[in-house]
Amino acid sequence: MRKSVQKIQNLKNEGKKITVLTAYDYSTAKYVDECDIDIILVGDSLAQVVLGYENTTDVSMKEMQIFVSAVSRGVEKAMVVADMPFMSFQISKEEATKNACKFIKAGANAVKLEGSSPYLLDIIKHLTSIGIPVMGHLGFTPMSINTIGGHKIQGKDSQKTIDILNEAKKLQEAGCFSVVLEMVPKQSSKFIASKLDIPVIGIGAGVEVDGQVLVVDDILGKYDRLKPRFARQYCNLKDIMKDAINAYLNDVRNSNFPNDEESFILEQKEEEALESYR
Ligand code: KIV
């Protein structure tokens, strides 16, 4: 049984930190789930770290669906949240509903939406009313990179912090069960988290929020095109992978692979028959 919205809320109420990581494929999702994480996010960051696009806005709904299904097949215990990609919810409420339903059918338990415009609040109200839990996303919102003009810290003064709080309160009132807060000074995030009933999940938002999310490729050291200051790297998977790949290439080139255990062997009499064949 996957974790419910109520279980996630209980963690905040009990002062326990909520653990969140992204995952995009079956086996990574399975291992993350086996480590007892609370939420697995199939983030649109897969546009960059899996598909090699320039921006998260480049990934389509069709592409995201494949990864949401793969992750869902690997997860038993964690809540799976699917990130609604650019243009999957901006066109109309009907389209947004249809796309959110596609993710739920693909095995997700909830969806994530960036922003807090009145149009979006209406969609959030509708999705929650039909039983689709929604996670919000405020602060730096990668989909608005063209408006924001780069990876810029948000909520940098008291008024801007209060503005984000007011946006977060609207998300809470519209029915969001949690909100991701990205690239916000730690004092601002602490203030916002303390004024909300729903959990605040930080990314580049300091330690005094209700939980943390990072991109799994960043903690494993697999993606090397971007190294955000807020991401802590726990191992160097890129080097581990390249060492293994190089070892394999050497073995092939030196005829050290495959050995007999890795080969299928003829019976001796059949081998002898082949040797005597002219
Ligand atoms: O797409 C993503 O991975 C995200 C998280 C980093 C919050 O939105």
Side-chain angles (χ1 to χ4, degrees):
M1 180 74 189
R2 302 241 188 104
K3 286 195 176 144
S4 63
V5 163
Q6 191 53 54
K7 277 244 163 81
I8 302 299
Q9 182 65 48
N10 291 346
L11 293 172
K12 171 159 178 148
N13 300 347
E14 291 161 13
K16 292 183 182 152
K17 292 285 188 184
I18 299 163
T19 52
V20 189
L21 264 178
T22 67
Y24 315 109
D25 65 282
Y26 167 80
S27 29
T28 308
K30 183 168 178 286
Y31 305 149
V32 172
D33 191 43
E34 285 168 2
C35 290
D36 231 357
I37 197 159
D38 298 310
I39 300 176
I40 295 178
L41 171 67
V42 189
D44 61 1
S45 50
L46 73 82
Q48 293 161 309
V49 302
V50 179
L51 298 175
Y53 290 131
E54 195 62 30
N55 292 304
T56 58
T57 46
D58 296 327
V59 71
S60 69
M61 185 65 206
K62 231 180 182 163
E63 287 168 321
M64 287 290 300
Q65 261 176 277
I66 295 169
F67 296 98
V68 171
S69 328
V71 165
S72 298
R73 286 191 283 270
V75 176
E76 282 177 13
K77 298 175 292 178
M79 171 189 278
V80 175
V81 178
D83 217 355
M84 300 279 292
F86 186 58
M87 295 310 281
S88 68
F89 61 93
Q90 287 91 342
I91 293 167
S92 69
K93 191 165 134 185
E94 288 68 33
E95 187 108 335
T97 308
K98 214 167 68 190
N99 285 328
C101 289
K102 281 184 186 164
F103 279 155
I104 301 300
K105 289 228 173 224
N109 306 102
V111 296
K112 176 165 86 60
L113 294 169
E114 287 184 19
S116 65
S117 66
Y119 165 76
L120 212 64
L121 295 175
D122 192 34
I123 290 174
I124 293 166
K125 277 185 199 147
H126 179 61
L127 293 181
T128 51
S129 79
I130 60 168
I132 301 182
V134 181
M135 174 184 265
H137 188 154
L138 294 175
F140 174 70
T141 46
M143 269 179 211
S144 310
I145 190 151
N146 294 317
T147 317
I148 297 169
H151 290 82
K152 292 192 179 150
I153 303 164
Q154 305 294 303
K156 273 170 81 173
D157 60 39
S158 53
Q159 187 49 55
K160 288 188 178 121
T161 301
I162 291 164
D163 291 345
I164 298 177
L165 171 64
N166 287 333
E167 288 180 62
K169 279 187 171 164
K170 284 185 196 157
L171 292 184
Q172 178 173 278
E173 275 159 30
C176 279
F177 76 92
S178 65
V179 60
V180 167
L181 203 53
E182 181 161 354
M183 289 182 71
V184 171
K186 63 181 218 172
Q187 298 89 338
S188 307
S189 316
K190 176 186 176 186
F191 173 79
I192 294 165
S194 71
K195 301 275 184 249
L196 291 179
D197 298 325
I198 58 171
V200 171
I201 312 295
I203 173 160
V207 74
E208 287 179 277
V209 287
D210 306 302
Q212 298 291 333
V213 55
L214 281 177
V215 166
V216 73
D217 292 56
D218 287 339
I219 72 155
L220 299 178
K222 190 172 172 220
Y223 182 70
D224 68 355
R225 252 171 53 192
L226 247 180
K227 275 199 192 303
R229 162 185 164 164
F230 53 76
R232 188 177 292 178
Q233 190 179 317
Y234 288 84
C235 71
N236 194 333
L237 200 53
K238 175 185 156 186
D239 284 354
I240 294 169
M241 287 172 77
K242 286 179 98 173
D243 286 349
I245 293 162
N246 275 321
Y248 166 72
L249 301 186
N250 276 336
D251 282 349
V252 171
R253 288 181 181 134
N254 298 324
S255 299
N256 280 333
F257 174 83
N259 61 24
D260 278 0
E261 274 79 54
E262 292 153 340
S263 305
F264 303 103
I265 312 290
L266 264 186
E267 280 180 23
Q268 199 180 340
K269 65 175 182 359
E270 301 301 333
E271 190 181 355
E272 286 164 4
L274 287 182
E275 277 162 14
S276 59
Y277 180 79
R278 306 223 173 258

